[in-house]
Amino acid sequence: LVFKMSPLRTRRLHMAQRTYVSLWLVVLVSVMQAAFIEPDTQVDIAMHAYEGKLPDLVIHEDVEPVDALIVWAKLASKDHQPIVRESIYHEILDELCNQTETLACTRTRAFEKLELGKMTYFGEEYGIQYYNPSVDPMAQRNCTGISGGNANSCMEEAASLFCSRLIPPPENCVRDLTAHIASQVQAVDQKRLDGKETYSRLGLEMDAPGRSL
């Protein structure tokens, strides 16, 4: 006896085979990338050398080194191979904190940098930036509630630092700026789920450990 398959059934079989092979190829490539490429920091070094010079890491006065580092890493990752990988990131942070005499590190977790508008004073514009400690539950405990719970001591401290740079400082500067920061942070929190950046949606920074994620 000789059995022959219909042309339609033969086409379906060939399509199933092609789909099966394609899926296995995807799995194989993913495994090879994870095993041989991802853990190797030499790939990152080679990519940086090929694609060009990284931007300068600038740490301003009164800015925590780890905050400046995460901002720099995000900027560098736009045009270069991502460098906010644990091995490279911690190596740079260790060099900043332990091998640079002029820098003092008080923490190793980055806070979320928020741009909260600008203030015009005597014709000059000053950007209002706030490093949000709520991305680190341990650090958030140090921020005690004020103004009926609408703001906290960390916001007031940031406002005080900002106002101290204005000469002479505006009247009620700390109070008004604290209220502004509190309202803007609340607005940012309400919009988190609408954002595209996964870490921002989770209320975390890119250096968050696996446990926090």
Side-chain angles (χ1 to χ4, degrees):
L1 295 176
V2 178
F3 295 94
K4 292 185 179 180
M5 298 178 63
S6 66
L8 178 60
R9 188 169 183 180
T10 301
R11 286 196 297 270
R12 289 179 177 174
L13 180 60
H14 289 168
M15 290 179 62
Q17 289 175 338
R18 286 197 294 269
T19 302
Y20 183 75
V21 171
S22 299
L23 288 175
W24 268 109
L25 284 175
V26 171
V27 172
L28 179 61
V29 171
S30 299
V31 170
M32 291 180 64
Q33 182 179 10
F36 300 108
I37 298 178
E38 289 296 329
D40 189 3
T41 57
Q42 295 300 318
V43 174
D44 298 298
I45 297 174
M47 286 298 295
H48 300 330
Y50 172 76
E51 295 183 353
K53 181 179 180 295
L54 290 171
D56 293 331
L57 171 57
V58 179
I59 303 177
H60 294 286
E61 185 181 4
D62 296 323
V63 174
E64 188 71 26
V66 68
D67 292 334
L69 174 59
I70 200 73
V71 171
W72 171 81
K74 288 181 178 180
L75 178 63
S77 297
K78 291 181 179 180
D79 299 319
H80 300 267
Q81 184 80 352
I83 58 176
V84 194
R85 289 184 180 170
E86 189 170 350
S87 56
I88 299 177
Y89 179 81
H90 286 291
E91 182 179 345
I92 299 174
L93 183 60
D94 177 71
E95 185 171 345
L96 290 176
C97 296
N98 301 320
Q99 302 180 41
T100 307
E101 295 181 358
T102 57
L103 293 177
C105 300
T106 62
R107 51 184 166 85
T108 57
R109 279 284 303 276
F111 291 169
E112 179 186 32
K113 183 182 179 181
L114 300 177
E115 300 284 352
L116 304 181
K118 296 181 179 180
M119 175 180 178
T120 302
Y121 190 58
F122 285 111
E124 297 289 337
E125 284 191 343
Y126 300 89
I128 301 173
Q129 301 173 347
Y130 178 62
Y131 289 92
N132 184 18
S134 65
V135 297
D136 182 358
M138 297 297 294
Q140 180 65 17
R141 296 177 183 177
N142 298 324
C143 303
T144 56
I146 59 174
S147 302
N150 296 324
N152 60 52
S153 58
C154 294
M155 298 175 181
E156 186 179 48
E157 182 179 345
S160 178
L161 178 60
F162 180 93
C163 293
S164 68
R165 296 170 177 166
L166 303 177
I167 301 175
E171 187 177 355
N172 299 321
C173 180
V174 175
R175 184 196 65 187
D176 294 343
L177 187 56
T178 301
H180 171 78
I181 292 174
S183 65
Q184 292 299 301
V185 170
Q186 184 179 12
V188 169
D189 287 339
Q190 291 175 347
K191 295 179 180 178
R192 284 193 187 279
L193 293 180
D194 297 329
K196 296 181 180 180
E197 213 278 312
T198 305
Y199 285 93
S200 295
R201 294 178 67 181
L202 294 173
L204 297 170
E205 254 303 349
M206 293 179 69
D207 65 340
R211 180 179 299 178
S212 296
L213 292 172

